[in-house]
């Protein structure tokens, strides 16, 4: 019987050295915690705020404005580190988002309209009402373009807050929030594509279209060599970047094109494994063949997502937070932010807009007979999880960077994001901690069904 422990004693982490026991394995188990990515993001945010408000604040801005240039023939690529994070690293993040959306649409919760109905209605309310509240403060003003900022939900922070309550939070509530956040991500992607796209270049758009056609052709021909897709995918990202469409949309498109169904069935993979076990002599070619069939019993999207998720959670998002959350908290800025329509629109949109939008839309849909609200999400439970959905950190900061060229307005929006997200987390946690614990629901009742 093979050992199911992933930390084999043949490796460093599974070894008996003090370094492995006291540093390696604790870090490994920390990374396995669902809230670990949110903790690192929070640390990076605090580090950015401390750095900017220290005597070394000039080094913060000098570092992120360091320019990187590359010339290939007549093509010249030049961006600073700040934009490389925004247009490059965050494309990988949105690629993972695209993978998650594709998986949910093909084999996950969004495949069943009956299950998706309630979180989809909730997500719609959680986008529309915050945007309207923001526009009520900023319509016709210099901050009007930031209406998409309070519409986002940061799933890493939100799930991290729910995880603090342990078993008091039923799995159904986590599923509801996860599905809501995925629909919310779809909305954010559409906002970025439509509202924050610059002047378009026809030639680069044509190039991107040709490369996209090449990717589709490779799929039709059953080309299964991932490095080939990597080369064409990077070229596609570059073409989208130069076309005027925001580069992160390339990541989403590539994620949605990644197959979410396995090439091989689990039964066939098991037969190949049994065949290999019966061989008297195992040759390397046989091992490679069986390894291929076993590997392909898992969808490509899932394998890539499992590979990239730690990179995005523990590297890319903390780096983005470090680059985006740096706000000089001077007395003048804080004083201006207290009365700034941008700050108020973002903060109130995240806290009140999300809570009212999610609960109101769900209540209306329930009264109209479109959805059924399960007991574990009724009353204070719905209000609490709706409040937690107001944690809009990562994507809100990202949209803020796209919306405002004026640094002072951008800083006011960041203060609104930080304040609103903090209030939503604390108040949502207090509400949920005071709700009565629900008994575990059966598998049958985990489905949030619409009325027939």
């Amino acid at each position: 019987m093979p050992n199911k422990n992933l930390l084999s004693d043949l490796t460093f982490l599974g070894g008996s050295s003090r370094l492995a026991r006291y540093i390696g394995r604790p870090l490994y188990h920390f990374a396995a915690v669902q809230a670990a990515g949110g903790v690192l993001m929070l640390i990076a945010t605090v580090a950015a705020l401390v750095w900017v408000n220290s005597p070394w604040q000039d080094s913060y801005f000098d570092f992120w404005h360091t320019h990187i240039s590359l010339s290939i023939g007549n093509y010249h690529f030049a961006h600073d580190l700040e934009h490389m994070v925004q247009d490059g690293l965050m494309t990988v993040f949105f690629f993972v988002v695209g993978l998650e959306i594709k998986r949910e649409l093909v084999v996950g919760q969004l495949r069943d309209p009956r299950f998706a109905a309630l979180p989809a209605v909730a997500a719609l309310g959680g986008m529309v009402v915050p945007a309207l509240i923001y526009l009520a403060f900023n319509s016709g003003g210099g901050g009007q373009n930031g209406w998409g900022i309070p519409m986002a939900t940061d799933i890493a922070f939100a799930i991290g807050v729910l995880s603090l309550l342990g078993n008091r939070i039923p799995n159904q509530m986590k599923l509801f929030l996860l599905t809501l956040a995925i629909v919310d991500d779809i909305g954010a992607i559409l906002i970025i594509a439509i509202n924050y796209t610059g002047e378009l270049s026809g030639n680069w758009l044509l190039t991107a279209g040709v490369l996209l056609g090449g990717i589709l052709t490779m799929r039709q021909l059953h080309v299964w060599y991932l490095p080939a897709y990597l080369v064409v995918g990077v070229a596609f990202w570059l073409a989208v970047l130069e076309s005027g469409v925001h580069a992160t949309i390339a990541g989403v498109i590539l994620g949605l094109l990644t197959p979410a169904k396995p090439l091989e069935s689990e039964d066939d993979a098991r037969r190949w494994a049994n065949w290999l076990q019966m061989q008297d002599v195992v040759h390397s070619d046989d091992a490679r063949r069986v390894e291929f069939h076993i590997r392909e019993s898992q969808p490509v999207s899932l394998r890539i997502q499992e590979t990239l998720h730690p990179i995005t959670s523990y590297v890319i998002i903390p780096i983005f937070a470090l680059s985006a959350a740096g706000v000089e908290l001077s007395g003048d800025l804080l004083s201006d932010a207290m009365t700034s329509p941008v700050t108020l629109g973002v903060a109130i949109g995240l806290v009140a807009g999300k809570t009212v939008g999610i609960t109101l839309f769900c209540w209306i849909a329930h009264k109209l007979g479109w959805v059924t609200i399960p007991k574990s999400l009724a009353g204070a439970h719905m209000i609490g999880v709706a409040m937690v959905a107001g944690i809009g950190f990562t994507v809100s900061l990202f949209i803020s960077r796209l919306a405002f060229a004026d640094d002072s307005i951008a800083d006011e929006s960041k203060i609104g994001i930080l304040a609103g997200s903090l209030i939503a987390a604390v108040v949502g946690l207090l509400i949920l901690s005071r709700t009565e614990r629900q008994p575990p629901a059966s598998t049958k009742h985990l489905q949030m069904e619409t009325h027939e």
Side-chain angles (χ1 to χ4, degrees), residues 75-267:
Y75 176 72
H76 185 64
F77 178 87
H79 286 279
D80 58 20
L81 283 179
E82 184 179 33
H83 284 90
M84 287 300 297
V85 171
Q86 180 176 302
D87 296 333
L89 293 184
M90 288 302 286
T91 299
V92 180
F93 167 76
F94 278 97
F95 173 62
V96 174
V97 170
L99 291 174
E100 292 173 348
I101 293 172
K102 175 66 175 288
R103 180 166 174 78
E104 289 298 320
L105 289 171
V106 175
V107 297
Q109 313 296 350
L110 295 180
R111 179 185 58 174
D112 185 354
R114 296 178 305 166
F115 183 93
L118 182 61
V121 167
L124 181 62
M127 290 186 285
V128 171
V129 176
L132 291 177
I133 288 176
Y134 182 89
L135 288 173
F137 281 93
N138 292 277
S139 181
Q144 179 175 299
N145 200 36
W147 56 270
I149 297 172
M151 297 172 66
T153 294
D154 191 301
I155 190 59
F157 267 152
I159 291 297
V161 168
L162 291 187
S163 299
L164 294 176
L165 296 174
N167 293 331
R168 289 184 59 85
I169 300 300
N171 286 334
Q172 191 172 17
M173 189 177 292
K174 294 180 181 178
L175 282 174
F176 172 78
L177 184 58
L178 281 168
T179 310
L180 182 156
I182 289 171
V183 178
D184 194 282
D185 284 338
I186 296 173
I189 290 163
L190 292 174
I191 291 168
I192 293 169
I194 296 171
N195 197 58
Y196 301 114
T197 289
E199 186 177 347
L200 298 178
S201 167
N203 290 336
W204 281 109
L205 277 177
L206 179 61
T207 302
V210 170
L211 291 169
L212 186 60
I215 293 172
L216 293 172
T217 302
M218 290 165 64
R219 281 196 55 184
Q220 287 296 112
L221 295 175
H222 296 287
V223 175
W224 229 245
Y225 188 57
L226 288 182
Y229 286 97
L230 178 63
V231 171
V232 181
V234 170
F236 174 68
W237 163 79
L238 186 61
V240 172
L241 173 66
E242 297 293 345
S243 72
V245 177
H246 200 273
T248 53
I249 301 302
V252 176
I253 293 173
L254 292 174
L256 292 174
L257 289 178
T258 305
K261 291 185 177 180
L263 184 67
E264 184 78 275
S265 70
E266 290 187 3
D267 289 339

Side-chain angles (χ1 to χ4, degrees), residues 41 45 153-154 157 321 325 391-398 417-418 421:
M41 185 173 15
T45 301
T153 294
D154 191 301
F157 267 152
I391 305 173
F393 197 78
T394 305
V395 179
S396 292
L397 283 174
F398 185 77
I417 293 168
L418 295 174
S421 297

Side-chain angles (χ1 to χ4, degrees), residues 417-429:
I417 293 168
L418 295 174
S421 297
L422 179 61
I423 294 170
V426 173
V427 177
L429 188 61

